[in-house]
Amino acid sequence: MRKLLVVRRAKLTVEEAPTVEQFIGQRIRTLRLQRTVTLDQLAERVRLTKGQLSKIENGLVSSPVSTLTRIASALGVGPGYFFQVDGSERRAVHIRKNERKIIVGRGSKMGHYYQSLAFGLPFEKDFEPYLMNIEERKIDPSQNIFRHPGQELLFMLEGEMDYRHDDQIYHLSPGDSLFFDGAIEHGPVMVYSPPVRFLSITAATFIGSRREWCVSVFGAVLRGPE
């Protein structure tokens, strides 16, 4: 009996570039496995559920910088590690306006989004620059309280707002800057001339021989009451 030979034609697919969430998730998973850390162990260290961490590693969700900072610290790297591209010898990276990476998308819990201004570097950075964007009509000061190791610099680009550091409130206008100790509570409390945009740059702090990062970038477009 003659055998029938069935030849199946393979489907040709165009491989798409990973999204920023997928790229970060792949970096986290690869580093976790290199450290021989289980999903359960890392989730416990960074105060996430196993399911939440799994979604991050699979690129299904956008992660706030505070979460990436905790994961990076638990794995012994700076958060900038998750944005580096392997195999590159460049010492400079040019990022055009339309190439910025949105780290946390619109509609996040905080109602704001921010963009990384320095990613894809083949080396670790000593600071993290972000352009922040907030689209809420009202700001709830109780929901916008930040505290982290290291120092932070805010530089106003557009609009006006009040920003609190400890018990002092500073009125910020375009061209103003505010430099402060990130370990003390801080955050925006009022928007006067929306939209408001500002840069946030957070530097590393050193504890012993280990570099600790915390990026509490809050920049961007704040829309006040109409």
Side-chain angles (χ1 to χ4, degrees):
M1 190 180 225
R2 182 178 296 176
K3 293 183 179 180
L4 254 183
L5 181 61
V6 178
V7 179
R8 295 182 179 177
R9 179 175 297 178
K11 293 183 179 179
L12 298 177
T13 59
V14 178
E15 186 175 349
E16 297 181 355
T19 64
V20 64
E21 292 85 3
Q22 291 170 339
F23 180 81
I24 291 173
Q26 291 168 3
R27 297 283 287 177
I28 292 173
R29 175 182 290 152
T30 298
L31 184 60
R32 176 177 63 79
L33 295 176
Q34 289 174 351
R35 298 284 195 268
T36 63
V37 176
T38 68
L39 201 62
D40 286 308
Q41 290 171 333
L42 182 58
E44 183 177 357
R45 291 181 193 177
V46 299
R47 305 191 302 277
L48 294 174
T49 66
K50 182 178 179 180
Q52 289 172 326
L53 183 57
S54 177
K55 287 182 179 180
I56 292 173
E57 288 195 351
N58 286 293
L60 300 178
V61 294
S62 296
S63 303
V65 172
S66 56
T67 299
L68 294 180
T69 299
R70 295 201 306 271
I71 295 174
S73 179
L75 295 175
V77 297
Y81 174 87
F82 300 139
F83 305 100
Q84 295 171 19
V85 178
D86 292 327
S88 174
E89 297 180 357
R90 293 174 299 166
R91 300 299 294 178
V93 174
H94 178 200
I95 299 172
R96 300 183 185 279
K97 180 179 179 179
N98 61 352
E99 296 173 343
R100 295 176 191 158
K101 297 295 186 182
I102 296 179
I103 309 305
V104 173
R106 296 174 177 81
S108 64
K109 290 182 180 180
M110 297 300 297
H112 69 274
Y113 70 98
Y114 48 93
Q115 298 169 298
S116 173
L117 301 180
F119 60 90
L121 281 71
F123 50 87
E124 287 202 48
K125 303 184 287 290
D126 291 326
F127 61 88
E128 289 287 345
Y130 290 87
L131 171 64
M132 303 299 295
N133 303 273
I134 301 171
E135 296 182 335
E136 291 189 347
R137 291 172 177 261
K138 295 181 180 180
I139 297 176
D140 182 355
S142 66
Q143 296 296 318
N144 292 298
I145 299 175
F146 302 91
R147 196 168 74 176
H148 56 81
Q151 301 166 335
E152 185 168 354
L153 171 70
L154 303 182
F155 182 80
M156 292 292 294
L157 299 174
E158 183 180 357
E160 298 182 18
M161 70 174 178
D162 284 344
Y163 199 92
R164 181 180 70 85
H165 184 261
D166 199 8
D167 58 357
Q168 183 72 40
I169 293 180
Y170 300 88
H171 184 77
L172 303 177
S173 300
D176 291 352
S177 62
L178 182 64
F179 184 82
F180 53 85
D181 181 354
I184 298 173
E185 287 188 355
H186 56 276
V189 295
M190 183 76 70
V191 174
Y192 293 98
S193 304
V196 173
R197 295 191 308 134
F198 59 95
L199 297 175
S200 177
I201 301 173
T202 303
T205 186
F206 293 86
I207 301 177
S209 60
R210 183 182 177 189
R211 172 183 291 170
E212 295 286 343
W213 278 92
C214 189
V215 185
S216 162
V217 246
F218 194 56
V221 179
L222 297 162
R223 300 189 182 277
E226 296 178 351

